[in-house]
């Protein structure tokens, strides 16, 4: 039984430094594909397939269950070994089951373990992995709306 300070999700996570993105969605939605593309651009794997979220003070930390550490699935290729880091602090969530339709989408949030995080929907363009990396490198999104 999981404690109220721990949650295990069917998800994937990658990090830039100590800031991680949690990629959620149904099986086959592209979680690992997004992670692999981000890893090819410099991100580090935290976990693939299952991610453990745990509360650490006011932060939510992401870790990998031991049997899966350092492995990521590439459909049609198999399980690949990868450099990994664990834990990493949750900074952003991407929902691969929801497709973004707005050019400049509203700020969305999602709550895990009583903490609120920015939420992005899947953007089916070649620049999406780079945009998520920039989000993690920078200070999030700029809001130029009045």
């Amino acid at each position: 039984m999981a404690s109220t300070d721990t949650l295990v999700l069917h998800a994937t996570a990658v990090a830039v430094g100590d800031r991680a993105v949690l990629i959620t969605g149904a099986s086959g939605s592209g979680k690992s594909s997004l992670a692999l593309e981000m890893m090819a651009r410099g991100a580090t794997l935290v976990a693939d397939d299952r991610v453990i979220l745990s509360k650490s003070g006011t932060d939510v930390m992401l870790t990998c269950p031991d049997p899966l550490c350092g492995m990521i699935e590439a459909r049609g290729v198999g399980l690949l070994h990868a450099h990994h880091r664990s834990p990493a602090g949750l900074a952003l969530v991407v929902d691969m089951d929801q497709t973004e339709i707005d050019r400049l989408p509203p700020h969305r949030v999602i709550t895990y373990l009583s903490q609120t995080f920015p939420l992005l929907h899947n953007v089916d363009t070649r620049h999406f992995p780079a945009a998520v990396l920039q989000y993690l490198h920078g200070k999030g999104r700029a809001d130029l709306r009045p």
Side-chain angles (χ1 to χ4, degrees):
M1 175 187 269
S3 78
T4 57
D5 291 335
T6 303
L7 181 63
V8 179
L9 296 178
H10 174 73
T12 297
V14 295
V16 173
D18 59 356
R19 295 171 46 86
V21 57
L22 179 70
I23 307 166
T24 65
S27 183
S29 64
K31 298 180 299 293
S32 298
S33 295
L34 176 58
L36 283 164
E37 188 63 42
M38 292 177 66
M39 290 163 58
R41 298 169 186 234
T44 303
L45 178 67
V46 175
D48 184 45
D49 190 49
R50 284 185 290 160
V51 181
I52 301 169
L53 288 74
S54 56
K55 201 122 183 237
S56 177
T58 59
D59 295 328
V60 172
M61 303 304 291
L62 306 180
T63 56
C64 184
D66 284 336
L68 302 175
C69 286
M71 291 189 295
I72 186 166
E73 180 185 353
R75 283 189 186 251
V77 177
L79 289 175
L80 302 174
H81 292 283
H83 294 288
H84 69 282
R85 68 160 291 147
S86 185
L90 179 55
L92 174 66
V93 178
V94 172
D95 183 346
M96 297 299 286
D97 288 338
Q98 302 295 320
T99 301
E100 187 56 67
I101 58 172
D102 293 327
R103 180 179 175 193
L104 296 173
H107 287 274
R108 296 183 179 98
V109 295
I110 191 166
T111 301
Y112 289 113
L113 301 176
S114 303
Q115 300 296 319
T116 302
F117 301 94
L119 172 68
L120 298 178
H121 291 169
N122 184 19
V123 178
D124 191 20
T125 63
R126 291 175 43 156
H127 77 272
F128 190 53
V132 175
L133 278 172
Q134 184 58 38
Y135 190 106
L136 293 175
H137 277 296
K139 296 178 183 174
R141 284 179 31 184
D143 191 1
L144 302 177
R145 297 173 193 231

